[in-house]
Amino acid sequence: MTAVLDGLLTEVGKKATERWLSPAWPLGLCFAAAAWCTVTLGHAHALDLGLLVRRTRAGLTRIGLDPVALVTVGVIAVLAAAVAAGLARLAVGAVERLWLLERRGRRLTWPGRRLALLEERVRAEYHGLRVSLVWPRLWSLLEDHQRVPVRDARAALDTAALTVSWGLLYALLGCAWWPGAVVAAALVTGGWTAGRRHAHAYATLVESLVDVRQRDLATALGVELQHGVITAEEAGQINARLHKGGPDLPARRRPE
């Protein structure tokens, strides 16, 4: 089932990703500043703003007005922000995989259960029709303006995962600077809540498109809907045509 949901989410993932990359630099700079606070203050003086100012000023004083030193500090800050943003982006995939984890055939998280329910609802309504197979083809039939709501919902889901990712990074800072743990808890909670909401919105949109565009899909695949909706026979034809003997169907025995 994880592979099924991965295929469903991947179709609009590339375009959605472009939208949540834009705030990476500001967030990276904020994280770099928090890392400086961690190194400078630690747990004992976690909220001592005066100490932070004094130590920061002392560090800048040692550098002086040497242009090379100032440029070096700036480059280090930018690189730190870039590294933090890169780690957060890498963690997005891990967070979404975590949402899709299952145990004994059951999803462990609410977003994962909601996305799995999409597959189950379409199978039940349309006699075994597999949304993971039809969705990429249905997506190709949509005009650009019809894709916008789905892309927005997918981008929002990615943003929620990105928020959780930043929370995990701040949790690392929380090991040495307790305000980092507070920020981490807020980000993870907010991202998790948003993930629940946007997973529901995304799944609802995909299911709605299957409902209202099933005739267009069938026509594009050369399958005639005798009763105006997909029946068991037609669902079998569509699944077989799109599956093309993939690995998750029962394997046929090779000729002896």
Side-chain angles (χ1 to χ4, degrees), residues 100-114:
L100 298 180
L101 280 179
E102 66 178 54
R103 182 181 182 185
R104 297 177 182 176
R106 177 177 172 79
R107 294 289 161 184
L108 298 180
T109 69
W110 195 95
R113 288 195 293 272
R114 181 61 185 92

Side-chain angles (χ1 to χ4, degrees), residues 17 80 110-111 133 161 165 183 201 234:
T17 299
W110 195 95
L133 291 177
S165 299
V183 174
E234 294 149 356

Side-chain angles (χ1 to χ4, degrees), residues 29-48:
L29 289 173
C30 288
F31 184 82
W36 173 248
C37 291
T38 301
V39 173
T40 305
L41 301 177
H43 286 310
H45 305 282
L47 300 180
D48 193 335

